[in-house]
Amino acid sequence: MSSTPLPGIGVRYDLTTRENRLLSVIAHRDGDRTLSAYRKEDPDECALSTRLTAGEAEALVGVLMPSHHSPNLLSTTELGLVAERIELASTSYWNGRVLGETRMRTETGVSIVAVLRRAEAIPSPTPDFRLAGGDELIVIGTREGVESAAAILGRV
């Protein structure tokens, strides 16, 4: 799964399935989602695109979620919060800089609760933690805050 900040619009998420099919979801700032599927023989040609309201998207997530999920799992949608992974590109401005320089919580209200690096998870990284390209940052905050965080971390 990759994500691309779309300034002024939201964030686009792309997933290539094991059948080599490209799916994308654009998370609009207003809560709507645009779901698109592309043709296998021509990944540039869209076979389906539909815009869902926030409620329709939530209903779809309910259908896609496994029914055996843990009751101890924090359901962030009920609290108005989301948790997402944001990958830091090797070309990112933040590659090699310390986490505190991002001023993420001050600028977006988002908390970076962990960093995944290769097969290692670094929980609660401190402000002096040095970021590296390829790191996946686990962030929690409002939808708007997480989208702003993705835009900041996508800075090159």
Side-chain angles (χ1 to χ4, degrees):
M1 174 93 64
S2 64
S3 65
T4 305
L6 303 173
I9 297 171
V11 179
R12 176 181 167 153
Y13 299 92
D14 291 310
L15 170 71
T16 302
T17 69
R18 67 180 173 179
E19 295 175 341
N20 207 25
R21 302 281 310 260
L22 175 62
L23 302 174
S24 74
V25 174
I26 296 175
H28 297 269
R29 298 180 75 126
D30 65 1
D32 284 2
R33 302 289 186 261
T34 299
L35 173 65
S36 300
Y38 297 86
R39 297 196 181 282
K40 185 175 183 178
E41 59 278 0
D42 184 357
D44 292 329
E45 186 177 348
C46 190
L48 165 78
S49 184
T50 187
R51 188 166 177 149
L52 306 170
T53 66
E56 292 166 336
E58 191 171 332
L60 182 60
V61 168
V63 172
L64 295 173
M65 288 288 293
S67 60
H68 61 275
H69 78 275
S70 168
N72 295 328
L73 180 66
L74 179 62
S75 179
T76 57
T77 56
E78 292 175 7
L79 300 173
L81 300 173
V82 295
E84 289 192 7
R85 292 180 184 205
I86 300 174
E87 184 173 347
L88 194 70
S90 61
T91 57
S92 171
Y93 170 82
W94 303 108
N95 184 5
R97 297 181 185 269
V98 296
L99 181 59
E101 288 182 61
T102 65
R103 300 180 38 83
M104 193 60 65
R105 190 176 313 193
T106 301
E107 298 296 327
T108 67
V110 164
S111 293
I112 298 172
V113 297
V115 175
L116 306 178
R117 181 175 287 169
R118 296 181 198 101
E120 180 183 12
I122 300 119
S124 303
T126 58
D128 63 343
F129 179 83
R130 193 160 299 277
L131 297 167
D135 284 351
E136 289 187 46
L137 286 68
I138 307 299
V139 301
I140 294 180
T142 63
R143 165 59 52 207
E144 296 78 18
V146 169
E147 289 174 4
S148 296
I152 289 169
L153 293 170
R155 178 178 165 198
V156 289

